[in-house]
Amino acid sequence: MAIQDKVKINENTQLLFEKAADFLNLSEEARFLLKNPYREISVQIPIKLDNGQFKVFNGYRVQHNGSRGPYKGGIRFHPSVDIDEVRALAALMTWKTAVVNIPFGGAKGGVNCDPKKLSINELEKLSKGYMSKIDLVVGPYRDIPAPDMNTNAQVMAWMMTEYSKKHGHTLAIVTGKPIALGGSYGREEATGRGCVYVIKEASKDFGIDLTKSTCIIQGFGNVGSNAAKFMEEEGSKVIGVSDVQGAIYNKQGLDIKELLKYREEHGTISTYPKAEKLTNEELLELECDILIPAALEGVIYYDNAPRIKAKLIVEAANAPVTIRADKILEERKIPVIPDIIANAGGVIVSYFEWVQNLQQFTWDLDEINFKLKKKITKSYRDIYNYAKENNLSLRTAAFVIGIQRVVEATKLRGWI
Ligand code: GLU
């Protein structure tokens, strides 16, 4: 997908990689190997719709780098999905799993579709159809998919069922499953929770008192709504949120519990009466302490970056800030906590789910949250310290740490 800077998203990710590769003085061969995916597959998924017609959907799975372990990454159902987007997101997973030091490589999958226009029955067919087309390149020790945008525990249950039909009962083939089918406690809210653990730690570095802070969250899906809930619990005033239908703003603060209930009843937050209505674009430019883009990529770009008024940006979405915007924000001294640490809570708890599945053992929620907090907080601290010591942005520092780990593993295997 071309983002608003008119740069293809994968090119954007590769440029971020190049910046860190320059710092590390990486060889041309290493750059080539690490910039491009190991394997990509495109599949057709023909589905008989409820109205009797056939429709063919395009699906992808890109395995970017597997030096550090089995490939890992979510599957996205969205109309913007194409091979370029999946490639970029797969590479980000390589750096994400490396930067938080969990034993996985990076992958991503997606199906180009509009899930809002599909019935439950059609979604089930699509999920199972997708898995049946990629089952030969995935496996509990090969590549482990998970939820991403518009996919959830139910979709994972369908995919696990399809895989198990051919390969025998295999809980560890996907993570993010329902608790009743081998899912982990805490996985569903892990990305939002992890994001807030990072913010808690980072607030010390940027002189923000969370109990006196204001925050704005763009996107109210799984990640955004959980981040809102946990930010409120930390005492932050959530003054603006949005979903695909629009944004709402109340400078006194929104009641997130009430808002979650409102969404359950109305399917959107955009019509919530106790707030002013805005567009998504306007929301991003409002004054606040912490801005959390938690929706699509490329929403902060060269045009609106000069108008952002937040004191700190935290990338709960993947790649919400373009490289051109990144430069502008750096010049304006607005720190950005990059996606590969800010939203790593999801894949960290996916790792815990995988470990539990392989051991046929269950950890309770307190243990999961304790382990998540420890891991993500330490990873953030390492990035912050490295950035300070080397005068780098947090993003470049995170990439450098991730790349170093992948290069080391790759060298040890004798590949470069
Ligand atoms: N889709 C999530 C991400 O972008 C989670 C991936 C996973 O749990 O494997 O990090």
Side-chain angles (χ1 to χ4, degrees):
M1 188 185 79
I3 46 187
Q4 304 196 53
D5 276 355
K6 307 277 183 280
V7 178
K8 289 242 183 172
I9 173 79
N10 191 43
E11 193 187 332
N12 193 84
T13 309
Q14 291 194 338
L15 289 168
L16 295 174
F17 166 85
E18 286 288 356
K19 231 175 139 179
D22 287 345
F23 177 82
L24 285 169
N25 228 344
L26 273 195
S27 69
E28 276 314 308
E29 292 71 27
R31 283 174 201 241
F32 187 80
L33 190 84
L34 299 178
K35 259 163 74 172
N36 298 298
Y38 165 74
R39 170 158 54 196
E40 16 184 83
I41 64 168
S42 297
V43 295
Q44 291 185 326
I45 314 156
I47 301 292
K48 193 171 183 184
L49 300 175
D50 294 349
N51 65 10
Q53 282 178 346
F54 271 102
K55 191 170 160 87
V56 184
F57 294 89
N58 293 313
Y60 310 92
R61 184 77 181 165
V62 173
Q63 296 170 337
H64 176 259
N65 188 288
S67 310
R68 300 184 62 263
Y71 300 95
K72 188 85 193 78
I75 294 163
R76 177 174 289 202
F77 285 180
H78 196 273
S80 78
V81 166
D82 61 16
I83 189 72
D84 185 78
E85 183 183 81
V86 180
R87 254 181 216 144
L89 297 170
L92 285 176
M93 288 307 301
T94 298
W95 313 129
K96 194 184 299 184
T97 50
V99 91
V100 296
N101 215 356
I102 55 177
F104 291 126
K108 201 76 168 202
V111 178
N112 185 292
C113 65
D114 186 350
K116 285 182 193 69
K117 295 195 180 129
L118 297 172
S119 68
I120 284 283
N121 182 35
E122 290 164 341
L123 271 175
E124 178 178 345
K125 285 186 190 166
L126 191 62
S127 307
K128 291 185 171 172
Y130 173 78
M131 178 50 94
S132 79
K133 297 295 167 74
I134 65 157
D135 77 304
L136 286 177
V137 299
V138 295
Y141 290 104
R142 189 175 288 277
D143 182 356
I144 306 123
D148 197 80
M149 199 173 284
N150 295 327
T151 53
N152 56 17
Q154 174 62 78
V155 171
M156 294 304 115
W158 288 325
M159 290 190 182
M160 193 266 282
T161 303
E162 184 65 25
Y163 185 87
S164 297
K165 239 162 61 184
K166 275 196 230 167
H167 302 269
H169 185 60
T170 318
L171 283 182
I173 179 58
V174 290
T175 57
K177 298 177 294 292
I179 304 282
L181 269 182
S184 175
Y185 290 112
R187 173 60 187 86
E188 198 165 309
E189 64 273 27
T191 312
R193 192 187 286 277
C195 186
V196 176
Y197 285 150
V198 169
I199 293 172
K200 248 180 115 168
E201 187 65 15
S203 61
K204 301 177 198 160
D205 301 321
F206 299 107
I208 298 172
D209 176 352
L210 282 191
T211 61
K212 296 195 178 79
S213 69
T214 54
C215 101
I216 287 181
I217 302 174
Q218 189 229 10
F220 212 66
N222 175 32
V223 181
S225 60
N226 277 303
K229 192 171 92 186
F230 298 125
M231 282 306 280
E232 187 182 56
E233 277 178 24
E234 289 301 327
S236 183
K237 207 193 276 179
V238 183
I239 55 173
V241 299
S242 70
D243 63 18
V244 272
Q245 298 183 42
I248 53 169
Y249 171 72
N250 184 335
K251 77 166 185 280
Q252 306 309 326
L254 297 155
D255 181 334
I256 301 302
K257 278 180 209 81
E258 195 180 294
L259 201 57
L260 286 166
K261 246 173 96 197
Y262 184 88
R263 186 188 55 181
E264 237 177 76
E265 283 157 21
H266 300 84
T268 178
I269 46 105
S270 62
T271 47
Y272 182 67
K274 295 184 200 164
E276 207 180 301
K277 286 172 195 34
L278 304 167
T279 65
N280 262 275
E281 281 269 312
E282 286 165 338
L283 183 79
L284 291 168
E285 295 175 20
L286 293 177
E287 211 159 301
C288 64
D289 293 309
I290 303 161
L291 175 61
I292 308 178
L296 272 178
E297 49 263 19
V299 295
I300 301 178
Y301 57 112
Y302 75 95
D303 187 39
N304 63 1
R307 295 191 299 273
I308 300 288
K309 293 178 199 73
K311 293 201 183 87
L312 174 69
I313 298 176
V314 185
E315 293 185 326
N318 287 311
V321 177
T322 67
I323 189 164
R324 284 176 74 186
D326 224 24
K327 192 159 174 270
I328 297 169
L329 295 167
E330 218 175 318
E331 280 160 14
R332 296 187 55 218
K333 305 217 174 330
I334 299 178
V336 179
I337 303 186
D339 45 8
I340 57 175
I341 177 68
N343 71 27
V347 75
I348 291 174
V349 179
S350 273
Y351 165 51
F352 299 157
E353 181 172 330
W354 182 72
V355 169
Q356 291 171 87
N357 289 160
L358 294 176
Q359 298 181 35
Q360 316 270 343
F361 201 76
T362 309
W363 301 339
D364 64 25
L365 182 62
D366 285 347
E367 189 161 0
I368 296 280
N369 289 342
F370 173 76
K371 285 184 157 78
L372 166 63
K373 185 174 186 184
K374 202 166 148 197
K375 193 139 198 59
I376 205 161
T377 305
K378 180 184 181 324
S379 305
Y380 165 78
R381 187 50 53 213
D382 290 347
I383 294 168
Y384 182 83
N385 291 344
Y386 195 89
K388 262 232 130 131
E389 279 157 27
N390 296 283
N391 198 21
L392 296 171
S393 68
L394 292 173
R395 190 189 308 282
T396 304
F399 266 77
V400 167
I401 293 173
I403 293 170
Q404 274 175 329
R405 290 194 178 132
V406 174
V407 168
E408 187 188 359
T410 308
K411 277 191 180 150
L412 286 167
R413 285 173 186 263
W415 291 351
I416 47 172

